[in-house]
Amino acid sequence: MATPAEGSMAALLPDLPKGPLQAYRARASFSWKELLLFLEGEDMLRFKHTIFSALESDPLFDRSCGADLPMEKYRELSFLRCKRVFEYDFLCLEDMLQTPLKVLALVGCLGMYDWSLSNKYFLHAFTFTSAIYTSGTERHFEYIQKAFRMEIFGCFALTEVSHGSNAKAIRTTAHYDPASQEFVIHSPDFEASKFWVGNMGKTATHAVVFAQLYTPGAQCWGLHSFLVQIRDPKNLLPMPGVMVGDMGKKLGQNGLDNGFAMFHQVRIPRQNLLNRIGDVTPEGTYVTPFKDARQRFGVSLGNLSMGRVTIIGMSVVNLKLAVCIAVRFSAARRQFGPADEEEVPVLEYQVQQWRLLPYLAAAYALDHFSKSLFLDLMELQQGLFRNDQSVRQAELGREIHALASAGKPLASWTAQRGIQECREACGGHGYLAMSRLGDLRNDNDPNCTYEGDNNVLLQQTSNYLLSLLARKLQDGARFESPLRTVDFLGAYPDILAQRFPGPGRAGLDSSAPLAAYKWLVCYLLRESYQKLEQEKRSGSSDFEARNNCQVYACRSLALAFLELTVVQRFHDHAHHPGVPPPLRAVLRRLSALYALWSLSPHVTLLYRGGYFSDEQAGKMVESAILDLCSQLKDDAVALVDVIAPPDFVLNSTIGRADGELYKNLWAAVLQDSKVLERASWWPEFAKKPIIGSLKPKL
């Protein structure tokens, strides 16, 4: 008889249904339950189980409710669902502080169900309130309480029609009027209207609005954030002077109401300035604890790091879902085989393994990076709240900004490519809407552009690295950072002198690609710096020089640095002595596969720079990738069982846990199209000669 503890764990980790996938599950080299428990921990598993169970048992979240709804109805339903999530109170403030990863988990769980709901909830509960918490002071905290009680509904209004990535050039103004002790918020023209703001289209009542702060005498103090009421919470009618509306249908996430707003001389109390970085006295004097205007600007945009780090997690969730669907499909789908023998699952084919399993490894590696970076960000946020102005705090902010600025491009692009590969790997069945792969592709797409265009963001990371090298060359400063992501650059000249040690089994371990990555980053850093200096010597301005150094230099540097960081963190995780012995082999294979697969597009640079010298090196990388894919093939289904949500949440006819691909597909087709009912137009159409009706009239 099972003990209460065993019974509790059985409910938390129920056995998966028997079926066509059972053969693969039986061949796995590890227990999927043990790996899941090791990666998540029992408390986090219970937290996720609570969320999934609540959604599945609540009629408001019934899948049929949101199917093919008109956009207006879908947005109304998303708001009602968002309100219900608050009523469930999955995550209290104490939990957020004690276990910050539950924030990321809640966003991910809701996103697995529907990204419109997740983003609506996140923008209100975390982006809006976090902006108040980190940029405001005690006088503003009542708005956080009102937000969690759903008395107000919030949004984060930075982007404008004519300015997105270039936040410094935002044109909304906030002029202080000492006579009334009010700020006057104003949009000078349509190009300065706030645009793409999530929740603003239909439901937001309050906005954190970014504007250029002016004090009497027309002195501009740069970008600051203000709390502005844009609608009446009682009837959602716009406030006087506010023109606010919905932007219309998008490629995806149409349950989220992205909107625009223009302000015409809208007056707000002086106290509505979020004043942690700077304040205005009643008389109109500007005061700030920051002497450096650039540092003040950086802190004012600190919330963007929160958004970017969260988008990394969102992208990873999308990649996980797509890989779960495609691997289960590939294990159940049988095509071809030896003559006169049974057809084999397509997962047995080397090409299918090569197409899918590196993305499975990427899902694990990027998931670990996403969580670790989120915890790093929480450390930074706590320092900001304590008003920590130490050198370490400033350096931590710069480092996290650099990691988030390259992390979002790497994660969102990896998910984008991975989802497409999964869609194609599922053949025509993957093109069906019921596979969910199309929705995942569309819902992931904006991750590549919002909170900063990916290609623009990469410049932030390369600028950070180039500044470190410049300090080293000019002042002899050491390469070091709070998270130690750049410390290896201390051996910069020695690393550049290294060469690939030669082919061998070492290639199957992530230590070999790690060494290659460190050389690659040093090489690209040197090339980018020399290119930049050459441009300047040739007469280019700093702006022109940096612009001319992006392609093939700075852009590649930023991506290689971030890939190295992800590889290093996952390598350390997989090789940690705390990993249970039965799980070590599979985690280390995933680590090695991700490292080698990520490195493989850089082989040309490794040859060009002299790290690789003969053809054996390139061949070794290729053969190691294929060997690892072959070794992980029998573990693939169990590995997706670890990261897959319940079928209700996954919502893919071709990716269900039972593996009954054709039974599930046929049942869904019958239900969706009612093919057994003759179409109403058929009898009349059948009377007409089809061929004759197509003949052209002469």
Side-chain angles (χ1 to χ4, degrees):
M1 186 174 180
T3 66
E6 290 171 336
S8 176
M9 285 305 296
L12 197 61
L13 295 171
D15 291 334
L16 294 165
K18 306 292 183 183
L21 300 180
Q22 189 59 32
Y24 277 103
R25 287 174 176 142
R27 293 201 297 269
S29 66
F30 66 98
S31 163
W32 71 271
K33 294 182 181 181
E34 185 180 2
L35 180 55
L36 179 55
L37 197 56
F38 168 71
L39 293 176
E40 297 281 13
E42 184 175 343
D43 182 52
M44 185 63 78
L45 286 179
R46 293 191 184 282
F47 178 67
K48 291 184 174 183
H49 179 73
T50 299
I51 298 168
F52 290 145
S53 298
L55 298 184
E56 188 166 7
S57 60
D58 189 332
L60 186 62
F61 295 89
D62 187 286
R63 283 292 187 183
S64 61
C65 290
D68 300 319
L69 279 176
M71 186 180 70
E72 293 295 322
K73 290 293 183 182
Y74 185 17
R75 293 185 174 176
E76 181 182 343
L77 181 61
S78 292
F79 180 76
L80 293 175
R81 285 171 170 171
C82 183
K83 186 171 183 291
R84 184 65 56 85
V85 170
F86 272 96
E87 291 168 359
Y88 279 124
D89 196 22
F90 292 125
L91 192 59
C92 65
L93 186 59
E94 185 180 350
D95 271 349
M96 286 188 214
L97 297 175
Q98 289 183 353
T99 317
L101 285 179
K102 285 187 175 178
V103 174
L104 206 58
L106 177 55
V107 172
C109 287
L110 295 176
M112 286 182 176
Y113 172 78
D114 180 5
W115 280 116
S116 291
L117 167 63
S118 180
N119 282 325
K120 189 166 195 63
Y121 177 84
F122 175 75
L123 288 167
H124 170 67
F126 298 117
T127 306
F128 175 70
T129 59
S130 177
I132 297 172
Y133 184 74
T134 57
S135 300
T137 51
E138 244 179 86
R139 74 190 191 198
H140 304 110
F141 291 169
E142 63 176 295
Y143 288 95
I144 298 176
Q145 297 169 355
K146 289 180 178 180
F148 278 98
R149 292 196 299 263
M150 289 287 284
E151 294 174 13
I152 62 174
F153 205 72
C155 61
F156 184 83
L158 173 63
T159 299
E160 296 178 354
V161 171
S162 60
H163 288 94
S165 298
N166 186 11
K168 275 187 179 178
I170 290 297
R171 296 177 59 237
T172 302
T173 59
H175 284 267
Y176 182 65
D177 178 5
S180 61
Q181 295 190 22
E182 293 173 318
F183 283 100
V184 182
I185 310 296
H186 186 66
S187 308
D189 50 48
F190 170 71
E191 290 184 8
S193 62
K194 295 301 179 183
F195 217 62
W196 276 115
V197 183
N199 288 342
M200 182 176 270
K202 298 287 185 183
T203 51
T205 62
H206 289 68
V208 171
V209 175
F210 283 79
Q212 304 289 349
L213 189 158
Y214 287 84
T215 51
Q219 184 164 4
C220 181
W221 296 96
L223 206 61
H224 288 67
S225 50
F226 302 81
L227 264 172
V228 182
Q229 184 174 345
I230 59 174
R231 286 188 179 94
D232 185 336
K234 295 178 182 177
N235 52 29
L236 293 183
L237 292 176
M239 298 300 290
V242 179
M243 178 189 291
V244 60
D246 191 282
M247 289 177 56
K249 194 169 185 179
K250 309 182 292 288
L251 295 179
Q253 297 190 32
N254 280 301
L256 176 65
D257 51 316
N258 292 83
F260 66 89
M262 287 187 71
F263 303 98
H264 182 71
Q265 307 293 334
V266 175
R267 290 182 171 267
I268 61 172
R270 179 182 68 88
Q271 291 81 359
N272 281 30
L273 165 65
L274 297 177
N275 61 332
R276 186 170 296 278
I277 65 163
D279 205 350
V280 175
T281 66
E283 297 76 25
T285 302
Y286 182 78
V287 292
T288 177
F290 296 95
K291 295 179 181 178
D292 187 340
R294 289 193 306 172
Q295 186 183 6
R296 187 174 73 235
F297 175 74
V299 174
S300 74
L301 295 180
N303 280 286
L304 294 182
S305 286
M306 165 68 88
R308 289 165 188 162
V309 171
T310 307
I311 289 169
I312 295 172
M314 293 174 173
S315 301
V316 173
V317 167
N318 288 327
L319 180 60
K320 284 181 178 179
L321 295 176
V323 168
C324 288
I325 295 165
V327 168
R328 284 176 173 173
F329 174 91
S330 300
R333 174 81 161 174
R334 292 174 176 269
Q335 295 287 290
F336 306 107
D340 302 322
E341 292 186 28
E342 187 180 19
E343 289 184 302
V344 300
V346 295
L347 187 56
E348 294 297 315
Y349 292 103
Q350 186 185 73
V351 170
Q352 196 80 344
Q353 296 165 22
W354 172 76
R355 295 173 73 184
L356 296 179
L357 299 190
Y359 284 109
L360 176 58
Y364 273 83
L366 288 167
D367 187 50
H368 177 70
F369 171 73
S370 167
K371 291 172 180 174
S372 64
L373 185 60
F374 190 83
L375 292 176
D376 295 333
L377 179 63
M378 291 302 100
E379 179 189 345
L380 177 68
Q381 298 278 34
Q382 289 165 9
L384 289 173
F385 186 69
R386 294 194 308 268
N387 202 27
D388 182 352
Q389 296 189 34
S390 65
V391 173
R392 185 189 184 281
Q393 175 73 7
E395 288 301 315
L396 180 62
R398 291 183 70 218
E399 186 175 15
I400 288 177
H401 177 69
L403 293 172
S405 294
K408 186 182 90 74
L410 179 63
S412 59
W413 277 335
T414 302
Q416 182 190 58
R417 293 191 300 267
I419 294 166
Q420 181 63 24
E421 195 66 64
C422 289
R423 208 295 295 158
E424 294 180 28
C426 293
H429 297 321
Y431 192 62
L432 285 168
M434 66 181 73
S435 76
R436 200 187 171 186
L437 291 167
D439 285 341
L440 287 174
R441 184 171 57 189
N442 287 341
D443 286 347
N444 182 77
D445 215 37
N447 290 335
C448 301
T449 47
Y450 56 30
E451 300 291 350
D453 173 86
N454 282 353
N455 285 287
V456 175
L457 284 181
L458 289 171
Q459 298 179 41
Q460 301 289 316
T461 307
S462 60
N463 288 344
Y464 170 72
L465 295 170
L466 288 166
S467 70
L468 294 177
L469 180 58
R471 282 164 52 185
K472 171 69 175 176
L473 296 175
Q474 294 166 13
D475 307 322
R478 295 173 60 185
F479 283 110
E480 57 184 8
S481 61
L483 302 177
R484 306 189 65 184
T485 60
V486 301
D487 288 15
F488 74 97
L489 291 171
Y492 172 76
D494 296 332
I495 291 174
L496 282 173
Q498 292 174 3
R499 295 297 178 262
F500 181 63
R505 294 297 294 174
L508 294 178
D509 183 79
S510 44
S511 58
L514 262 175
Y517 255 121
K518 289 177 181 177
W519 179 92
L520 178 65
V521 172
C522 290
Y523 173 74
L524 286 169
L525 180 57
R526 184 188 69 186
E527 294 292 296
S528 298
Y529 184 81
Q530 290 177 350
K531 170 72 172 168
L532 185 62
E533 292 302 303
Q534 179 187 346
E535 287 286 334
K536 290 179 179 177
R537 285 195 300 270
S538 68
S540 298
S541 66
D542 186 69
F543 174 82
E544 292 171 329
R546 291 187 182 278
N547 181 50
N548 294 337
C549 290
Q550 296 307 313
V551 182
Y552 302 127
C554 294
R555 184 182 184 276
S556 301
L557 166 64
L559 282 171
F561 169 70
L562 205 283
E563 288 166 4
L564 165 61
T565 305
V566 175
V567 168
Q568 183 71 66
R569 290 194 178 192
F570 194 48
H571 170 89
D572 294 344
H573 181 57
H575 290 78
H576 192 277
V579 177
L583 305 178
R584 290 174 184 170
V586 69
L587 283 176
R588 291 176 184 181
R589 285 173 187 147
L590 288 170
S591 174
L593 177 56
Y594 177 72
L596 287 160
W597 175 73
S598 296
L599 185 68
S600 59
H602 303 295
V603 164
T604 301
L605 286 172
L606 295 172
Y607 275 112
R608 190 179 81 184
Y611 187 76
F612 283 176
S613 58
D614 59 49
E615 66 178 17
Q616 287 303 113
K619 287 182 176 179
M620 191 220 75
V621 172
E622 293 175 354
S623 63
I625 290 172
L626 295 178
D627 285 348
L628 286 163
C629 285
S630 178
Q631 292 173 28
L632 285 165
K633 177 253 302 178
D634 286 342
D635 286 331
V637 171
L639 284 168
V640 301
D641 289 339
V642 171
I643 60 177
D647 285 342
F648 167 77
V649 175
L650 184 61
N651 195 33
S652 172
T653 301
I654 66 174
R656 294 179 65 85
D658 61 10
E660 295 288 359
L661 174 61
Y662 302 122
K663 289 181 181 178
N664 295 330
L665 192 58
W666 183 237
V669 168
L670 290 179
Q671 182 180 4
D672 195 44
S673 62
K674 299 180 181 178
V675 295
L676 296 183
E677 296 180 14
R678 178 174 289 185
S680 59
W681 45 263
W682 180 256
E684 188 65 29
F685 182 73
K687 296 176 184 176
K688 301 177 181 178
I690 299 176
I691 301 300
S693 66
L694 297 178
K695 289 181 179 178
K697 294 182 179 179
L698 299 178

